[in-house]
Amino acid sequence: MSAAGIICEYNPFHQGHQFHIGQVREKTGADTVVVIMNGDFVQRGEPAIVDKYIRTRMALEGGADMVFELPVRYGLSSAEDFARGGILALDSLSFIDFYCFGSEGAIQEQLEQAGHYLAEEPEHYKKQLGCYLREGFSFPAARERAYTDCVKLTAEEREQLFMPNNTLGIEYIKAARRLGSSMKPVVIRRQGMGYHEELTGQQEEQGFLSATAVRSQIWKGNFTGLSEGAVELLKKAPCYIRSEDFWQMCSFAIRDSWDGLEEIKDLSEELANSMRKNWYEAVSLDDFANRCKTKNMTMARVKRCVFQILLGIEKESGGEDSFPYMRLLGMRRRAAENLKYVKKTKVLGRLARDMEELDDRGREKLKQDIKAADLYRTVAMAVSGRRLPEEFRRQVILVD
């Protein structure tokens, strides 16, 4: 049997994602499609619109065979760390043959060339990167310019290569290269709207909607761009969550961590000082992030850091070459056979039982994921006025 992996957020799962899974099966011939999905918080620094269990069921009904949770310390992080975490997760499972991702026009050869180059980081590239960082560019912008200079891309080639999905694909390839993984990359050409594009006309004219456009429609009470199954699941959701629902909680966490902000994973001294300065005046999360962002500090990074503060995700020394555990959220019953091939990690199904088999390091890591789920549940109950199951009572979702 062969297996292909997808690293995703499914916020929420829409028709474009369903098409992508179909293309993965067709291109790889894989018997099993494994999804590594963010939990209740997503990479750009926001809570997911609905919880990870609803999104897991959407993915399974949309064609996935197994859904595992990406640990929050990687899911709520920069594109580089998000990609590294996703690749580590797939590689830790031991039975994955391919990792698959969407591309916006670039061909696989171009993406592999960039990923391998950036994994090696030649000296002249590092010098160029340093120059752009000193000029005040954000890290992603500085890296894009440094790579363009070093390999002599045209303006058109640069624009094409560094589109959002392509940038993430490059990070996947770079992470796999550094890890020495035997998994092979497979690029799926993106269809429909651009990554953050909004709906401006008829859906038929724009193809598959972006997740940004789908969320925008959901807030208006529309379910454009979703399958019938996904619509039914969303209609049964207790509520939809916005970032602002967390502001009071985040504001308290910032003040409570006042003297230790620099210990948080992605916080620099500059951003920590900016947060201390702007906290007194901010009236909302977006207001706070807007006050703190600068030319070389994107709003997404500020918001990621805010939620890292909330969850207590601190800097760590060294890196991991495998995960101590992988949390299984759901699967098709026939896919259970794959679990016997897992060699490098512990698969958690029943949380209370299985976490006892983890070492101290594994349990400490898992506490962050449980805390993230608990806080999301607390907010969801406040917004919906409904009591929701706590994390230790959740079971693996099984479908036929």
Side-chain angles (χ1 to χ4, degrees):
M1 296 177 69
S2 64
I6 298 171
I7 303 161
C8 65
E9 295 182 327
Y10 291 164
N11 185 34
F13 186 90
H14 56 68
Q15 291 172 344
H17 296 137
Q18 191 164 350
F19 171 81
H20 181 253
I21 290 176
Q23 288 292 294
V24 166
R25 287 193 189 279
E26 184 178 321
K27 280 205 165 190
T28 66
D31 303 285
T32 305
V33 174
V34 176
V35 166
I36 305 295
M37 187 184 77
N38 260 10
D40 293 320
F41 295 88
V42 297
Q43 190 266 332
R44 69 184 171 281
E46 294 181 359
I49 192 169
V50 290
D51 70 42
K52 60 191 177 187
Y53 299 102
I54 295 173
R55 288 161 35 241
T56 293
R57 194 170 288 280
M58 286 180 175
L60 293 172
E61 291 188 3
D65 296 302
M66 306 181 84
V67 180
F68 291 87
E69 181 177 3
L70 179 65
V72 69
R73 65 190 180 277
Y74 286 100
L76 191 61
S77 194
S78 66
E80 181 177 29
D81 279 357
F82 174 83
R84 175 174 168 75
I87 292 296
L88 269 173
L90 289 172
D91 194 76
S92 295
L93 290 173
S94 308
F95 65 87
I96 308 298
D97 302 290
F98 309 96
Y99 61 97
C100 309
F101 55 88
S103 163
E104 293 164 304
I107 61 175
Q108 183 157 332
E109 183 181 353
Q110 294 172 317
L111 296 172
E112 289 194 63
Q113 179 184 6
H116 294 166
Y117 185 94
L118 294 172
E120 302 300 328
E121 288 192 310
E123 196 61 37
H124 62 293
Y125 161 78
K126 289 194 282 189
K127 288 181 179 178
Q128 284 293 97
L129 178 66
C131 288
Y132 283 118
L133 290 173
R134 286 190 291 274
E135 288 180 26
F137 288 97
S138 66
F139 181 81
R143 188 186 67 166
E144 178 181 326
R145 284 166 171 77
Y147 180 76
T148 297
D149 292 348
C150 290
V151 302
K152 296 180 170 45
L153 296 180
T154 66
E156 183 179 357
E157 288 171 334
R158 169 185 156 185
E159 182 180 1
Q160 184 69 60
L161 182 61
F162 287 98
M163 296 176 76
N165 272 335
N166 295 347
T167 299
L168 200 51
I170 291 169
E171 290 294 351
Y172 294 142
I173 293 168
K174 184 178 84 173
R177 176 81 164 200
R178 287 182 172 175
L179 187 62
S181 174
S182 62
M183 297 185 298
K184 297 178 176 60
V186 175
V187 176
I188 309 294
R189 181 70 178 265
R190 185 182 177 90
Q191 303 289 322
M193 293 173 63
Y195 192 69
H196 290 302
E197 192 176 350
E198 292 276 10
L199 184 63
T200 57
Q202 296 296 318
Q203 182 190 354
E204 291 76 14
E205 298 173 3
Q206 296 181 266
F208 297 121
L209 300 193
S210 66
T212 300
V214 169
R215 289 192 300 274
S216 177
Q217 291 299 304
I218 290 172
W219 289 117
K220 296 174 183 176
N222 301 323
F223 296 99
T224 308
L226 297 164
S227 68
E228 289 185 13
V231 171
E232 289 305 309
L233 288 167
L234 281 172
K235 286 182 176 179
K236 293 176 183 176
C239 60
Y240 307 137
I241 298 295
R242 299 179 187 267
S243 295
E244 294 301 341
D245 296 325
F246 280 83
W247 171 237
Q248 286 186 316
M249 196 181 280
C250 289
S251 179
F252 172 82
I254 293 166
R255 190 62 186 87
D256 195 48
S257 305
W258 203 254
D259 296 326
L261 291 177
E262 287 86 355
E263 300 303 313
I264 297 300
K265 184 175 182 292
D266 291 332
L267 254 78
S268 63
E269 183 178 353
E270 175 192 3
L271 180 54
N273 288 333
S274 179
M275 285 185 170
R276 294 186 186 105
K277 174 184 175 182
N278 289 293
W279 180 85
Y280 293 95
E281 304 296 330
V283 297
S284 68
L285 180 56
D286 280 347
D287 180 38
F288 181 70
N290 269 311
R291 290 171 182 270
C292 292
K293 73 180 179 68
T294 62
K295 179 183 176 181
N296 65 346
M297 190 80 63
T298 65
M299 189 164 178
R301 180 179 172 187
V302 175
K303 293 177 77 172
R304 276 198 300 271
C305 289
V306 168
F307 281 101
Q308 287 175 4
I309 294 168
L310 176 64
L311 300 177
I313 302 174
E314 297 184 344
K315 293 178 172 66
E316 295 180 339
S317 58
E320 298 177 292
D321 56 9
S322 65
F323 281 165
Y325 64 87
M326 286 300 302
R327 179 89 183 276
L328 178 62
L329 298 177
M331 67 177 176
R332 296 185 182 279
R333 295 180 191 277
R334 62 175 174 78
E337 183 182 357
N338 292 285
L339 296 176
K340 67 184 181 183
Y341 299 112
V342 177
K343 305 296 183 186
K344 301 179 184 178
T345 190
K346 168 70 178 174
V347 174
L348 305 184
R350 289 177 56 187
L351 195 58
R353 178 197 66 192
D354 295 340
M355 70 180 297
E356 293 304 314
E357 299 182 27
L358 298 176
D359 59 17
D360 290 343
R361 167 178 163 262
R363 280 194 292 272
E364 283 303 310
K365 299 285 188 185
L366 182 60
K367 284 180 183 178
Q368 289 181 346
D369 296 336
I370 295 171
K371 182 178 182 179
D374 285 346
L375 294 182
Y376 187 96
R377 171 180 171 269
T378 298
V379 169
M381 288 198 299
V383 172
S384 68
R386 290 169 54 180
R387 188 171 182 176
L388 302 173
E390 56 100 354
E391 198 68 359
F392 283 94
R393 293 184 180 275
R394 296 283 193 172
Q395 296 181 350
V396 174
I397 296 170
L398 297 174
V399 300
D400 293 324

